[in-house]
Amino acid sequence: MAMASHPTSPVIPDPSLSRPVQSVDSHPKLFHSLLQEHSSVLSLAADAECIYTGSQDGQISVWDKDTFKLKAVLRGHTGSVLALEYAPDKHWLFSASGDSTIRVWNTRNHAPLYLLHPHLETDSGDLFSLVWCPPLQTVYFGCQNTSLQWFSFTFPTLEHASFGVSVPSDGSIHSGTSTPTSTSRKAHKFFDSYPQYTRRPADLNARNPTCASFLPTSVSLTLPTSSSRDVSTPPPEGCVQGDRVRPPLAVLQVPPENVIFSAHYGYVYCMALLPSNREGSDDHFFEDVHDGSLQLVTGSGDSTVKLWKLPYGKSQDATPQLLHTFDCGAGAVLALTVRGDTVFAGCQDGLVKVWDLETRTLVRTLLVVENVDILSMSMLHSDLYVCSANGDIQRWSASFDLVGSWRGHEGIILSSIITRLPSSDTEPREEKFTLVTGGNDDMIKVWEVVPPVANRHALSELSGLGGNTDISKSINDILVYALTKFVAIPSVSNSPVHKEDCRQAAIWLRKCFTQLGAEASLLPTGETTNPLVLATFHGTRTTQHRPRILFYGHYDVISARPNGWTSDPFTLTGRNGYLYGRGATDNKGPIMAVACAAADLLARRALGVDLVLLVEGEEEAGSGGFAEAVKRHKDVIGPIDSILVSNSTWIAEDTPCITYGLRGVVHCNVEIFNDGPDLHSGVDGGSAREPMLDMVKLLGTLTDERNHIAIPNFYDAVRPITEEERQLYKVLSSVTQTPASLLAARWREPSLTIHNVEVSGPRNSTVIPSKVKAHISVRIVPDQDLETIASSVQEHLKNEFQRMKSPNKLNVTIDQTADWWIGNLDDPWFHALENAVKDEWGVEPLRIREGGSIPSIPYLEKEFSCHALHLPLGQSTDQAHLPDERISLSNLRRGKRVVERFLANVASTPAPSPVQPAAT
């Protein structure tokens, strides 16, 4: 039997907010390829003449930048070369290895200079990362044993040592111990040990056999060299040295005081210096360095990035001081790169976290490739090059747009650098940059890359480095682009067919908020209800209390039948200055406007409040599970000073409004039935008491001949209208050309509505239904009590039905309720919102009320003991819940700016007094 087909949902868009690559030709030209035979390229460095590649087999290959020929091979390490660092002020190359050593090489003649052992030597494990700090003449490195270590090359303490070769004029040592180079290695605890019964410590005289004894005679360990200096050959060093491998000038040791144990709770995989001194950086390293600005960042397998302050000047104490810890929450941090005060952290699972160091907040999260590790990153001015474990390379612009993507390697990309190529004779002044990448396919690839045309303010548009930079254009682009993706998800909460779409909408929104710079998560509301999306944009850290504003919205929408729509309801379509689509005005457009306003302020370091977004997915279906979830996660949400809502429209087209009141509602189901079957009217008509006739009579008792609600004592608690209100209605009447009495009836007077009547049976004109069900609602106003009205409705229906003495049965249930809400017009933050609207639109906003209900507003006010504010963004013709729902593009963008102004006003306005709970 064929199953009935269900409507299929559109493909859920990728959650990344970056624009897709516009052209398949957007990747750079491959300038040259180099093959490093039989060994993965784990690390890269470069100077003006050469490219250095560290291999898995412990060798460092030296490639000529001009001819791309192999110039030399540096041997000495017995483990993989995990990191390389070039020190241009010394003409030194540092190499860190899995053999727990760091070697220092002279890049002028490729001769070995020093062998540096970490504290605890091999117990430090693999040395994953290192940086050279020129002002301190210190090398910092991260270890597998989670320690951070350093060694300073400063004062001349080796001038009395016997080396057998001259000490280089630019190299003198401090903060460690040294030994003459009669041997170039330390005694190994295992290979240089004596039998246990002798109880002798290991030394170099143990004469134990080494793995060199078992090497085939055909293996050649000759070192290609261009050096003219003749250095005597040391004794063989087991599997480390061959017959002609050069010894270093000195063996050095990191002293215990130069170690921070447990610097992280995981391997220290990566580190970077701030300001950046990397080739390709546009940071002004030596010009801007002053006391407190020289910093080190480290990334670890514990999912954190740590910020360390380094001393200023050539101090003998180069100890880093921990300033802050950033929790990426996305697996191990495998790569780091920096620009200005911005740190980019490449993580497992394809995320790049962008941190602002001045405000110490998350600016953005880039979703590069889901579930694919990011192993290397490089910066060329404001362009970020991201290399992934799937062999892809991506280029991201200063506005966080994906502007290039291509397959770089047929394997895992393990390393990358930016470097210049030598100027040619024909174009001596042309500066040509290249991106050099290395992978486990044994390939080194050199890509021609061009610095971005944008000036320094391009980064300022993201991280707020420029005080006068206007970033509204790029944020506005993101606003419309994100809304396009958001509307494309048919998150219809009252349809089981779209249950998964609602969940996907929540997931997408969480990722969207995260990429805009918020800390976001999903909060469950129940097994059958959609989750809440909780996101917090953290304001600039200050010594004063930051106000905390909670924005409430909903990502669910009502259904959208194609009939009546000019375009696909789930494809955001622009026509004549309006954006059409289901949810454009209710409530997806306002949600994105508020989020982008916070992102804009955050990027400019102007967010002086904490903005908490609480977005539910059941508002159109009665907010099931919302209140319980808020109570359960109240500690996670945190204290709240005020609530902001944007879930209604203006009363006209051109005059902005602020909503200060909503009616409450009681939804009631009334059912009259008997135990018999449906009957035929031609056979049984007149002989049976029909439930439909009883229902008509019962519903007729709810109102009188003047259309007033006839429930006893119903109007007793209604708040009388004030003279101030009468004058307000006169003003609004002149604006809307609607009688003031009609506005009052819609907004501040209670009402009763019969929505529908359903019957059992086939619903044709010959059937007497045995069951009739009606759905009614009662709108309530201040100061009617919600529970009292709900009870009085039930009691009235039951009493009137009893008077009818019908043999049929009655069942009355209260389906949903929502309390009325009235704002505090004397609240200082209400005036802050009014001023924000006035400053943006140039006119005083109208103070209006709404006849509808939003259950969550009065609930949130009571739960967090604070006032709520309601800022409508849409116009009266936005068609919310109707075909061709829309929002004005101008209203959307200017509404975002109103929110920015409001948040700025709140940051400088004293917080209002908390709402006192009502007496019970």
Side-chain angles (χ1 to χ4, degrees):
M1 179 178 177
M3 298 293 292
S5 61
H6 293 286
T8 58
S9 301
V11 177
I12 302 302
D14 185 273
S16 176
L17 287 184
S18 65
R19 252 66 96 216
V21 181
Q22 299 299 318
S23 170
V24 295
D25 298 324
S26 58
H27 65 79
K29 173 186 175 183
L30 179 60
F31 187 73
H32 211 93
S33 296
L34 305 171
L35 177 61
Q36 183 171 276
E37 294 188 11
H38 311 303
S39 187
S40 299
V41 182
L42 303 180
S43 52
L44 288 163
D47 60 17
E49 298 178 355
C50 299
I51 296 173
Y52 302 89
T53 61
S55 67
Q56 191 174 6
D57 61 9
Q59 298 182 4
I60 302 170
S61 299
V62 184
W63 306 86
D64 189 284
K65 274 188 175 181
D66 191 26
T67 65
F68 291 102
K69 296 291 186 181
L70 184 62
K71 194 172 181 180
V73 177
L74 310 182
R75 294 184 176 92
H77 286 296
T78 59
S80 300
V81 181
L82 301 175
L84 291 172
E85 174 83 354
Y86 174 58
D89 58 319
K90 291 287 194 180
H91 298 286
W92 287 358
L93 177 70
F94 292 88
S95 57
S97 173
D99 63 8
S100 299
T101 66
I102 291 176
R103 290 180 179 263
V104 187
W105 313 82
N106 187 332
T107 58
R108 289 171 171 165
N109 54 26
H110 306 135
L113 295 176
Y114 307 115
L115 173 63
L116 175 61
H117 288 278
H119 180 62
L120 299 180
E121 300 184 15
T122 55
D123 287 346
S124 294
D126 296 350
L127 309 185
F128 290 109
S129 54
L130 78 162
V131 296
W132 168 250
C133 180
L136 300 179
Q137 295 289 284
T138 299
V139 61
Y140 294 88
F141 56 95
C143 307
Q144 186 178 12
N145 71 344
T146 74
S147 68
L148 172 62
Q149 304 190 26
W150 62 96
F151 189 93
S152 297
F153 295 78
T154 53
F155 297 100
T157 58
L158 299 183
E159 57 187 13
H160 301 295
S162 173
F163 291 94
V165 292
S166 60
V167 179
S169 60
D170 61 350
S172 54
I173 311 301
H174 177 69
S175 82
T177 58
S178 63
T179 60
T181 56
S182 58
T183 180
S184 61
R185 70 177 179 90
K186 309 274 298 178
H188 195 282
K189 290 188 293 184
F190 177 77
F191 292 111
D192 297 317
S193 63
Y194 290 90
Q196 189 173 7
Y197 68 87
T198 64
R199 297 176 181 258
R200 290 182 59 183
D203 61 41
L204 296 176
N205 297 316
R207 300 184 180 276
N208 289 325
T210 65
C211 53
S213 309
F214 306 100
L215 287 176
T217 56
S218 61
V219 173
S220 172
L221 295 178
T222 303
L223 173 68
T225 179
S226 60
S227 173
S228 60
R229 198 172 60 164
D230 183 19
V231 181
S232 59
T233 303
E237 189 183 341
C239 56
V240 180
Q241 300 275 6
D243 289 342
R244 297 182 59 189
V245 173
R246 296 180 179 182
L249 296 177
V251 178
L252 312 173
Q253 180 80 48
V254 173
E257 60 269 21
N258 285 18
V259 181
I260 297 177
F261 294 100
S262 299
H264 284 268
Y265 294 105
Y267 301 166
V268 185
Y269 283 121
C270 47
M271 59 177 59
L273 196 65
L274 288 111
S276 176
N277 60 347
R278 298 283 187 187
E279 199 171 3
S281 171
D282 56 355
D283 287 349
H284 301 292
F285 184 78
F286 292 103
E287 296 178 15
D288 293 343
V289 170
H290 56 274
D291 191 15
S293 69
L294 190 60
Q295 297 173 329
L296 177 73
V297 286
T298 56
S300 170
D302 62 4
S303 191
T304 66
V305 172
K306 291 195 174 184
L307 177 65
W308 310 82
K309 177 183 177 180
L310 300 181
Y312 176 66
K314 296 185 178 181
S315 169
Q316 294 189 30
D317 183 11
T319 303
Q321 297 179 7
L322 181 63
L323 296 178
H324 194 74
T325 299
F326 302 94
D327 187 2
C328 292
V333 179
L334 303 175
L336 283 173
T337 190
V338 299
R339 183 176 187 244
D341 286 337
T342 305
V343 173
F344 300 85
C347 306
Q348 285 181 310
D349 297 333
L351 298 179
V352 175
K353 298 282 185 173
V354 185
W355 296 96
D356 177 77
L357 295 184
E358 181 172 325
T359 60
R360 296 178 185 176
T361 54
L362 183 68
V363 175
R364 196 66 58 90
T365 296
L366 307 181
L367 181 58
V368 179
V369 183
E370 286 196 278
N371 302 317
V372 178
D373 296 348
I374 295 169
L375 301 177
S376 182
M377 299 187 298
S378 297
M379 293 292 304
L380 177 55
H381 296 184
S382 62
D383 278 355
L384 172 68
Y385 290 86
V386 183
C387 302
S388 304
N390 64 354
D392 287 350
I393 304 172
Q394 293 186 3
R395 179 164 66 94
W396 295 74
S397 71
S399 56
F400 299 135
D401 290 330
L402 178 62
V403 292
S405 180
W406 69 98
R407 174 54 58 92
H409 289 256
E410 297 302 322
I412 301 172
I413 303 179
L414 300 167
S415 53
S416 67
I417 57 167
I418 295 288
T419 186
R420 296 173 178 85
L421 289 182
S423 300
S424 63
D425 295 336
T426 57
E427 299 173 326
R429 294 189 177 181
E430 181 184 7
E431 189 174 50
K432 181 180 292 185
F433 283 98
T434 61
L435 170 70
V436 184
T437 57
N440 71 343
D441 55 0
D442 304 345
M443 296 296 298
I444 303 112
K445 295 193 176 182
V446 183
W447 310 88
E448 284 189 14
V449 290
V450 179
V453 177
N455 57 21
R456 176 69 179 183
H457 292 294
L459 183 66
S460 302
E461 293 178 0
L462 297 179
S463 61
L465 293 178
N468 299 320
T469 304
D470 179 15
I471 73 166
S472 59
K473 185 178 185 301
S474 61
I475 293 292
N476 279 336
D477 291 342
I478 291 176
L479 171 58
V480 176
Y481 185 78
L483 183 58
T484 301
K485 289 191 170 187
F486 199 10
V487 168
I489 309 175
S491 48
V492 182
S493 57
N494 57 8
S495 170
V497 174
H498 293 290
K499 184 68 177 176
E500 178 62 17
D501 293 318
C502 292
R503 192 179 74 88
Q504 290 297 332
I507 293 172
W508 181 91
L509 193 60
R510 173 182 60 80
K511 292 182 179 181
C512 174
F513 287 159
T514 301
Q515 292 179 85
L516 288 174
E519 179 183 332
S521 61
L522 299 183
L523 304 179
T525 60
E527 293 183 2
T528 60
T529 49
N530 298 316
L532 300 175
V533 182
L534 174 67
T536 303
F537 288 89
H538 295 282
T540 303
R541 295 177 182 272
T542 63
T543 56
Q544 299 178 344
H545 169 73
R546 289 195 307 274
R548 288 177 57 82
I549 309 297
L550 185 145
F551 172 79
Y552 164 81
H554 63 92
Y555 61 82
D556 63 318
V557 297
I558 70 163
S559 60
R561 293 184 177 89
N563 295 338
W565 284 85
T566 307
S567 54
D568 180 0
F570 295 108
T571 300
L572 193 68
T573 306
R575 294 194 303 274
N576 301 322
Y578 290 89
L579 301 175
Y580 289 81
R582 176 60 84 219
T585 193
D586 183 21
N587 185 235
K588 293 181 176 181
I591 289 173
M592 295 315 306
V594 172
C596 287
D600 191 333
L601 293 172
L602 186 67
R604 290 189 278 116
R605 296 182 183 142
L607 185 60
V609 305
D610 287 349
L611 181 64
V612 181
L613 285 85
L614 188 64
V615 186
E616 70 159 312
E618 293 284 344
E619 195 270 351
E620 302 290 6
S623 296
F626 176 78
E628 295 79 4
V630 170
K631 288 182 180 179
R632 190 164 56 248
H633 299 286
K634 193 173 180 180
D635 291 343
V636 178
I637 298 170
I640 298 299
D641 297 310
S642 188
I643 298 160
L644 178 65
V645 182
S646 181
N647 197 19
S648 63
T649 59
W650 300 348
I651 60 170
E653 289 295 287
D654 302 318
T655 308
C657 305
I658 294 180
T659 302
Y660 71 93
L662 297 169
R663 293 194 293 188
V665 67
V666 175
H667 286 280
C668 179
N669 286 317
V670 183
E671 187 178 37
I672 299 177
F673 61 97
N674 58 45
D675 296 331
D678 295 337
L679 302 174
H680 193 288
S681 62
V683 176
D684 298 300
S687 65
R689 186 72 177 258
E690 298 183 15
M692 177 64 82
L693 294 176
D694 284 351
M695 180 66 77
V696 171
K697 293 178 183 178
L698 183 62
L699 295 180
T701 67
L702 292 172
T703 58
D704 59 19
E705 63 278 1
R706 294 177 301 169
N707 204 34
H708 286 180
I709 298 172
I711 297 173
N713 306 316
F714 184 81
Y715 291 96
D716 290 356
V718 174
R719 186 182 299 180
I721 190 170
T722 65
E723 185 59 32
E724 183 180 3
E725 279 186 283
R726 293 185 193 277
Q727 296 302 320
L728 176 61
Y729 285 126
K730 288 183 179 179
V731 173
L732 297 176
S733 175
S734 64
V735 172
T736 62
Q737 301 301 309
T738 303
S741 59
L742 215 60
L743 293 176
R746 291 175 182 174
W747 295 350
R748 71 162 334 273
E749 295 177 7
S751 65
L752 184 145
T753 301
I754 300 174
H755 297 281
N756 55 62
V757 177
E758 300 176 358
V759 298
S760 59
R763 300 184 183 182
N764 61 43
S765 59
T766 63
V767 174
I768 301 173
S770 63
K771 182 186 296 184
V772 181
K773 185 176 182 180
H775 185 183
I776 67 174
S777 70
V778 178
R779 299 285 173 173
I780 64 172
V781 297
D783 292 303
Q784 291 178 303
D785 180 72
L786 178 63
E787 293 183 2
T788 300
I789 295 299
S791 298
S792 64
V793 170
Q794 288 179 297
E795 185 177 352
H796 172 81
L797 290 170
K798 291 177 181 178
N799 291 340
E800 292 299 321
F801 184 77
Q802 190 174 5
R803 288 194 186 98
M804 293 164 56
K805 300 184 182 302
S806 171
N808 295 318
K809 299 176 182 178
L810 173 71
N811 185 29
V812 181
T813 59
I814 301 299
D815 189 20
Q816 299 172 17
T817 62
D819 213 345
W820 53 264
W821 168 74
I822 196 77
N824 181 4
L825 302 185
D826 296 323
D827 189 314
W829 286 0
F830 179 86
H831 295 299
L833 182 59
E834 273 193 325
N835 291 335
V837 175
K838 180 181 178 181
D839 291 343
E840 176 60 35
W841 289 95
V843 296
E844 289 281 354
L846 300 175
R847 295 179 175 183
I848 65 172
R849 290 168 69 167
E850 287 279 346
S853 307
I854 303 178
S856 302
I857 295 181
Y859 166 74
L860 290 172
E861 270 197 339
K862 295 175 183 177
E863 189 66 34
F864 291 100
S865 301
C866 63
H867 293 299
L869 305 164
H870 195 165
L871 173 67
L873 295 189
Q875 297 168 314
S876 59
T877 57
D878 276 1
Q879 301 277 93
H881 288 206
L882 300 175
D884 275 351
E885 179 180 347
R886 69 183 189 177
I887 191 169
S888 163
L889 182 59
S890 175
N891 276 42
L892 187 68
R893 288 176 169 169
R894 298 188 75 171
K896 166 190 161 291
R897 294 200 291 269
V898 169
V899 174
E900 290 180 37
R901 294 176 186 272
F902 167 68
L903 296 178
N905 291 346
V906 164
S908 59
T909 303
S913 301
V915 175
Q916 299 298 323
T920 57

